[in-house]
Amino acid sequence: MAADLFQKQGEEYWKGRPRYPEELFRFIASNTPSHDLAWDVGTGSGQAAASLAQIYKNVIATDTSQGQLDFAPKIPNVRFQCTPPDMSLSELTNMVSEQRSVDLVTVGQAMHWFDLPTFYKQVKWVLKRPHGVIAAWCYTLPEVSDRVDSIFKRIYYVDSRAYWSPGRNLIVGQYRSIDFPFEPVDGADHTGPFEFKTERVMDLEEYLAYTISGSAYQTARDNGVELLSDDVIEEFKGAWNEDGDGKKVVKFPTYLRMGKVGES
């Protein structure tokens, strides 16, 4: 389902989605003893993979949507790979890496789509023991201004709620309730969420592209409902341009769960 939804909007996803803060990746990388190989799962159009490539010697970035991967940047030490939704361990070896060979598994704004028991089996198979790390994060509603935010919240919590995916409530809950069977990394007494702030300078077109890139928007459209009607767009224009500045810093509160695989 996720692949079908995002296949239709790869360009909007690339245009509208935020790039994650470098401090997030520095924090994660500081907890992996070696920086040889990272696996970025649900990479989309490569936002996280591009940052990981600056820290890790090699990155394998996978997604079930070729439409998303088509917009990923060309990076020498990143291998982008389209994978089936369900991979056997032999497919995992062929498409990703061998057993106990990966330093870090990352999942940016995607783990709520996964069959977690199957995914965690794969994670525990590929990660080095005992210090291989999994880091998964989500970001919540964008913050622009009181007027813009109030329109977005109405669309998000009222107009689009009937079209949410089942995992959307995990994001609303900041991944606090997500099953996460891993040990705290050394020096930490919990697995999160650790809080960060993702920021991106956007104009209104990019902000609306972010809205269009959401799965609920596509599901609503498939059901004949246009969440961004002309009236709504005019509302956004009025709120966005009230201070005369076409470019704005859009903030996305970001919540990280992180743990190590351990010996078990």
Side-chain angles (χ1 to χ4, degrees), residues 44-120:
S45 43
Q47 284 87 346
S51 294
L52 291 168
Q54 299 177 38
I55 303 173
Y56 291 81
K57 293 179 182 177
N58 290 288
V59 178
I60 300 161
T62 63
D63 204 281
T64 58
S65 169
Q66 186 60 52
Q68 291 272 34
L69 294 172
D70 287 343
F71 288 91
K74 306 298 183 186
I75 304 171
N77 62 330
V78 178
R79 174 166 61 86
F80 288 99
Q81 174 75 52
C82 189
T83 56
D86 300 307
M87 280 190 291
S88 66
L89 291 182
S90 62
E91 288 174 322
L92 186 65
T93 300
N94 292 331
M95 293 184 175
V96 179
S97 191
E98 297 179 351
Q99 186 177 18
R100 300 191 182 188
S101 63
V102 173
D103 298 298
L104 171 68
V105 174
T106 56
V107 190
Q109 194 73 359
M111 201 160 70
H112 49 283
W113 287 104
F114 294 176
D115 173 355
L116 289 179
T118 300
F119 175 60
Y120 287 152

Side-chain angles (χ1 to χ4, degrees), residues 21-38 51-57 103-106 131-135 137 185-186 196 256 258:
E22 294 307 311
E23 64 176 311
L24 172 69
F25 296 101
R26 287 196 298 268
F27 177 69
I28 293 169
S30 70
N31 288 284
T32 61
S34 56
H35 298 155
D36 295 323
L37 181 59
S51 294
L52 291 168
Q54 299 177 38
I55 303 173
Y56 291 81
K57 293 179 182 177
D103 298 298
L104 171 68
V105 174
T106 56
H131 298 296
V133 168
I134 175 174
W137 62 87
V185 297
D186 294 346
F196 294 84
L256 168 71
M258 183 174 64

Side-chain angles (χ1 to χ4, degrees), residues 23 41 55 65 91 94 126 197-198 213 221 224 239 246 249 255:
E23 64 176 311
V41 192
I55 303 173
S65 169
E91 288 174 322
N94 292 331
V126 299
K197 188 80 75 172
T198 296
S213 73
R221 174 171 277 187
V249 175
Y255 301 91

Side-chain angles (χ1 to χ4, degrees), residues 1-10 113 165 215-216 218-219 222:
M1 176 184 176
D4 292 338
L5 288 171
F6 293 119
Q7 184 83 17
K8 300 175 182 178
Q9 56 209 109
W113 287 104
S165 65
S215 60
Q218 186 62 54
T219 301
D222 289 345

